[in-house]
């Protein structure tokens, strides 16, 4: 299942609100690495899940840096008896038709890894997250929470560590001893990290999306590369859906080379997906992240990844011009 989701509106300032008492000697050091929470994750079929507590009840959330805002399904909101916020509605865009729903209030916030996050409200999705990677989920853990911090996403160890953001640090390197690759040229837009890429010589910007099971490119990017629908008429077609109740047909096209920084995938087979204009030219999904340790810093626009020797993406010595 290909599951890119774009959710409007964002929640800011969370990094200063998470519970935890950092060492006072470090509190005034802008470059101090101050961990705030450690959250276990489970990888199933290249999708990442974690458990949270809302109102004393456990919920399962898909870890999704591609979703602008944390979301619960309508079924989860009903099960948790959460009050609706009839003064604020959120419109969601993704694959399929846009939808609009009233938000849900969280009187007690969200607890992740034993740490309380004072989130007042969440988006409500008019769709189910069932039969996803052999299970189901109650919602999406979005970028409003995830990217308010510096994140150490350690897939081999199956955990995410939330650190205090370090926007004033001139050299915000990750807290690892392992070798890592610095992905140059990362930017940010609407609570998303955008990673530069090159696909068969054409350049674009991809949303770094932990919620996308596979990387994909936008239909606009394909058209810019000269790949009109009639050119892809012989390609395999599959049904895909995102943050919407309906599905759309997408082409699966073979390219020559997909390059991101010091990594590349040869002869990638990528879905060509109709995406909204706010989602960049592509989604860089869990196929890129698998087996790696990843450092994401929205505040400094930096992404570091550990190199891997096996898998669809491998480290190379050459870089894009």
């Amino acid at each position: 299942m290909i599951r890119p989701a774009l959710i409007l509106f964002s929640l800011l300032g969370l990094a200063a609100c998470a519970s935890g008492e950092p060492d006072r000697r470090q509190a005034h050091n802008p470059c101090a690495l101050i961990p705030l929470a450690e959250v276990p994750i489970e990888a199933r079929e290249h999708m990442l899940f974690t458990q949270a507590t809302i109102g004393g009840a456990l919920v399962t959330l898909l870890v999704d840096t591609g979703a602008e805002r944390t979301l619960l399904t309508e079924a989860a909101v009903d099960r948790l008896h959460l009050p609706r916020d009839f003064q604020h509605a959120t419109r969601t865009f993704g694959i399929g038709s846009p939808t609009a729903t009233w938000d849900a209030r969280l009187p007690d916030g969200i607890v992740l890894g034993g740490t309380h996050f004072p989130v007042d409200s969440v988006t409500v999705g008019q769709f189910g997250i069932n039969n996803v990677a052999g299970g189901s989920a109650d919602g999406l853990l979005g970028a409003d929470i995830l990217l308010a911090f510096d994140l150490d996403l350690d897939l081999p160890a199956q955990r995410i560590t939330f650190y205090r953001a370090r926007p004033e640090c001139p050299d915000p390197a990750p807290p690892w001893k392992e070798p890592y690759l610095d992905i140059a040229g990362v930017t940010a837009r609407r609570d998303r990290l955008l990673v530069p890429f090159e696909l068969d010589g054409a350049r674009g910007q991809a949303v770094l999306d932990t919620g996308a099971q596979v990387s994909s490119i936008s239909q606009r990017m394909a058209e810019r590369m000269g790949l009109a629908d009639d050119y892809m008429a012989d390609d395999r077609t599959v049904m895909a859906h995102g943050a919407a109740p309906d599905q759309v047909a997408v082409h699966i096209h073979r390219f020559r080379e997909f390059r991101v920084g010091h990594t590349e995938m040869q002869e990638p087979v990528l879905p060509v997906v109709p995406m909204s204009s706010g989602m960049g030219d592509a989604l860089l999904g869990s196929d890129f992240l698998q087996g790696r340790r990843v450092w994401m810093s929205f505040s400094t626009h930096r992404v570091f990844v550990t190199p891997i020797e096996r898998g669809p993406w491998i480290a190379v010595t050459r870089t894009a011009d």
Side-chain angles (χ1 to χ4, degrees):
M1 180 185 69
I2 307 158
R3 203 232 41 74
L6 170 61
I7 301 176
L8 296 182
F9 300 110
S10 61
L11 183 67
L12 304 177
L14 256 174
C17 299
S19 64
E21 295 293 335
D23 189 321
R24 290 186 179 182
R25 293 171 297 180
Q26 295 181 319
H28 300 294
N29 179 356
C31 292
L33 282 162
I34 300 178
L36 300 175
E38 184 175 292
V39 179
I41 58 174
E42 180 186 2
R44 301 198 304 263
E45 298 182 14
H46 307 318
M47 304 190 80
L48 307 178
F49 298 88
T50 190
Q51 287 197 320
T53 302
I54 296 177
L58 280 177
V59 295
T60 299
L61 301 176
L62 175 65
V63 180
D64 191 354
T65 57
E68 235 180 297
R69 194 169 173 209
T70 297
L71 174 148
L72 291 175
T73 65
E74 285 190 327
V77 169
D78 291 342
R79 175 171 64 85
L80 299 171
H81 305 292
L82 296 175
R84 301 300 283 265
D85 183 352
F86 293 110
Q87 294 184 342
H88 298 93
T90 302
R91 198 175 189 192
T92 64
F93 298 84
I95 297 177
S97 304
T99 61
T101 58
W102 299 110
D103 291 354
R105 294 186 180 275
L106 302 184
D108 301 318
I110 297 177
V111 176
L112 289 160
T115 299
H116 177 255
F117 293 74
V119 181
D120 295 328
S121 65
V122 293
T123 299
V124 179
Q126 291 182 324
F127 54 91
I129 312 179
N130 302 316
N131 301 318
V132 178
S136 61
D138 297 300
L140 312 174
L141 180 61
D144 57 344
I145 294 178
L146 293 169
L147 297 185
F149 305 88
D150 286 350
L151 289 183
D152 178 5
L153 175 59
D154 191 343
L155 292 177
Q158 297 195 332
R159 66 174 178 242
I160 303 175
T161 304
F162 292 70
Y163 285 85
R164 184 189 68 174
R166 300 178 294 164
E168 300 176 5
C169 184
D171 185 23
W176 311 328
K177 295 182 180 179
E178 302 104 304
Y180 57 81
L181 305 172
D182 183 357
I183 299 179
V186 174
T187 58
R189 184 195 308 162
R190 297 166 84 174
D191 278 6
R192 285 182 182 81
L193 288 172
L194 293 174
V195 176
F197 69 89
E198 186 175 313
L199 180 66
D200 291 357
R203 297 182 179 182
Q205 296 282 328
V207 173
L208 186 58
D209 188 355
T210 60
Q213 195 171 24
V214 296
S215 297
S216 59
I217 72 164
S218 72
Q219 194 166 15
R220 293 184 312 280
M221 179 72 183
E223 292 170 354
R224 182 151 57 90
M225 297 173 66
L227 302 177
D229 282 344
D230 56 351
Y231 185 89
M232 296 184 289
D234 294 332
D235 289 343
R236 183 166 61 96
T237 301
V238 300
M239 302 303 295
H241 68 86
D246 53 344
Q247 299 184 357
V248 296
V250 302
H251 294 291
I252 306 296
H253 188 75
R254 183 179 294 277
F255 296 87
R256 295 190 307 274
E257 184 182 70
F258 195 6
R259 298 174 60 188
V260 175
H262 295 266
T263 65
E264 68 179 25
M265 186 196 310
Q266 290 293 321
E267 297 189 352
V269 179
L270 303 174
V272 179
V273 179
M275 302 178 189
S276 67
S277 59
M279 299 186 70
D281 302 309
L283 300 178
L284 193 59
S286 292
D287 57 315
F288 176 78
L289 302 173
Q290 64 178 321
R292 301 186 192 273
R293 194 169 183 179
V294 184
W295 180 262
M296 304 181 195
S297 175
F298 187 85
S299 63
T300 60
H301 302 174
R302 302 294 293 273
V303 174
F304 302 93
V305 299
T306 54
I308 55 175
E309 298 180 357
R310 298 180 180 179
W313 291 88
I314 59 172
V316 293
T317 56
R318 60 194 176 94
T319 60
D321 296 330

